[in-house]
């Protein structure tokens, strides 16, 4: 197998090679580190790379596998973590100047669970400062570039994770998603990203953005790989009271179950308003493919979903401001923030208590509206983002005859799932004429990640979008 072929193998595939001892964890780690050395100066996907630690973990994994102490499909596999996830003994900057030298004394729960499964941490990925943005144009650590077109953004805030995966610089990652920060970069970089149900995956040890909107979740190059990662990190955690005591399915096994009678919702209003024509055609084509697989697609009404935009923003503004004040970062160290994040934290001061409480009431109404839709369908399909990756530095995108801020456009179709806490996944569903990836979003019922993954897996097997990789 050539080095390039190895880099773009799936997590599932390298796990098989490791288990059968046709590949050693040390060889695998060395290959990924060499690729990072070559590509990261161009893409800037990683803030920190922990080569010596990774090699030590690889040697340990090799001994364990050789002595028949195999822990499962993550054992010996190099993964990355977004740099707002605590890692014991490894600095966790959250993409900020304020935490540039912060070295946690403990792992975040998701980091600890991955380590317990035998995964090898290869490095910490770049992100929008404090995860409060969608472009990963970081003023302190530099912008991450999209591997498909290096003059384009990778999305954010988990942009470094998505870029590293698309470029073959790791086999899986965990990111965070408060308004689309897993799904947006997954869509723009042509990979798979899942935001689970609120409370499915612990956020203990994750630098918070907005506590009632924050989610941690997996990114990878295939649906199966995402299922493997989710199985490892999901579940109740005493350190995070928001996590629920809901059984964790065997997600990889669930992929192989029969789809059965499948009903998918087509929300004509809101999710298909102000969408680029190439994106619309790709999603419509994906819907036709799902129909060939036996799905029945029905129109669903979500007439009030647009009413959630302002309340969702108010919750994020208020909770972000509260967190940064409680940590003593803001306003005391306001000058150390990038301009865009500083302005948002300043705006958080202006959210009145009555507006915050009203926003929570709108959330309950939105949850009820989705619940009514899910009486009719198993999942809702939509574009992940209304446009493919904008250029670095662009402030506006044009949709038809309307110009819209890049941030607002990329958040618009993702925020509803954060606002309601519903699980949502982005899978590749096509490319623009210019060769930029397009993402299909599936939104599901609470706790039904297994069903979402099953639908996404069936679509992935029927197409080849996920097998394409950017040229170097």
């Amino acid at each position: 197998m050539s080095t390039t072929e190895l880099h773009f193998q799936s997590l599932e595939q390298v796990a098989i090679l490791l288990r059968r001892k046709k590949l050693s964890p040390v060889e695998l780690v060395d290959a990924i580190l060499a690729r990072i050395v070559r590509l990261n100066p161009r893409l800037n996907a990683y803030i920190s790379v922990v080569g010596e630690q990774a090699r030590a973990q690889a040697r340990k994994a090799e001994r364990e596998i050789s002595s028949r102490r195999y822990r499962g499909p993550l054992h010996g596999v190099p993964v990355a973590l977004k740099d707002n996830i605590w890692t014991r003994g490894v600095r966790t900057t959250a993409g900020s100047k304020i935490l540039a030298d912060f070295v946690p004394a403990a792992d975040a729960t998701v980091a600890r669970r991955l380590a317990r499964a035998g995964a090898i941490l290869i490095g910490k990925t770049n992100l929008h400062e404090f995860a409060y943005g969608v472009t990963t144009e970081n003023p302190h650590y530099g912008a991450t570039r999209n591997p498909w077109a290096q003059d384009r953004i990778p999305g954010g805030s988990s942009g470094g994770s998505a870029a590293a995966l698309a470029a073959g610089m790791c086999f899986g990652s965990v990111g965070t998603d408060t308004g689309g920060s897993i799904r947006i970069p997954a869509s723009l970089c042509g990979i798979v990203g899942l935001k689970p149900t609120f409370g499915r995956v612990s956020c203990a040890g994750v630098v918070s953005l907005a506590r009632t909107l924050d989610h941690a979740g997996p990114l990878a190059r295939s649906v199966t790989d995402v299922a493997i990662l989710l199985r490892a990190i999901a579940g109740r955690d005493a350190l995070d009271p928001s996590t629920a005591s809901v059984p964790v399915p065997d997600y990889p096994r669930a992929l192989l179950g029969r789809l059965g009678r499948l009903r998918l919702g087509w929300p004509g209003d809101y999710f298909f308003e102000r969408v680029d024509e190439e994106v619309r055609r790709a999603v419509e084509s994906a819907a036709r493919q799902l129909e060939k697989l036996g799905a029945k697609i029905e129109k669903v009404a979500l007439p009030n979903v647009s009413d959630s935009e302002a309340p969702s923003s108010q919750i994020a503004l208020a909770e972000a401001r509260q967190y940064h004040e409680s940590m003593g970062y803001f306003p005391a160290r306001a000058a150390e923030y990038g301009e865009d994040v500083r302005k948002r934290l300043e705006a958080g001061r202006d959210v009145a208590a009555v507006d915050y409480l009203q926003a929570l009431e709108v959330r309950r109404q939105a949850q009820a509206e989705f619940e009514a839709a899910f009486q009719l369908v198993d999942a809702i399909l939509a574009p992940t983002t209304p446009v493919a990756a904008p250029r670095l530095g662009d402030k506006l995108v044009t949709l038809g005859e309307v110009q819209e801020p890049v941030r607002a456009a990329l958040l618009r179709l993702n925020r509803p799932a954060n606002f309601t806490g519903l699980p949502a996944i982005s899978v590749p569903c096509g490319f623009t004429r210019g060769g930029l990836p397009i993402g299909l979003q599936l939104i599901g019922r609470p706790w039904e990640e297994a069903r979402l993954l099953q639908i996404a897996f069936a679509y992935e097997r029927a197409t080849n979008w996920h097998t394409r990789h950017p040229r170097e």
Side-chain angles (χ1 to χ4, degrees), residues 3 23 125 166 251 330:
T3 304
L23 176 68
T125 54
Y251 295 113
F330 196 88

Side-chain angles (χ1 to χ4, degrees), residues 64-81:
E64 290 175 339
I65 294 170
S66 296
S67 60
R68 298 183 180 180
R69 289 180 287 161
Y70 183 65
R71 303 192 206 177
L74 285 167
H75 201 175
V77 177
V79 300
L81 291 174

Side-chain angles (χ1 to χ4, degrees), residues 9 55 69 81 110 130 255 280 304 377 387 406 409 430 454:
Q9 292 292 301
R55 287 188 176 99
R69 289 180 287 161
L81 291 174
V110 292
F130 279 116
L255 298 181
R280 180 187 297 274
N304 300 309
V377 297
V387 291
V406 166
Q454 189 183 42

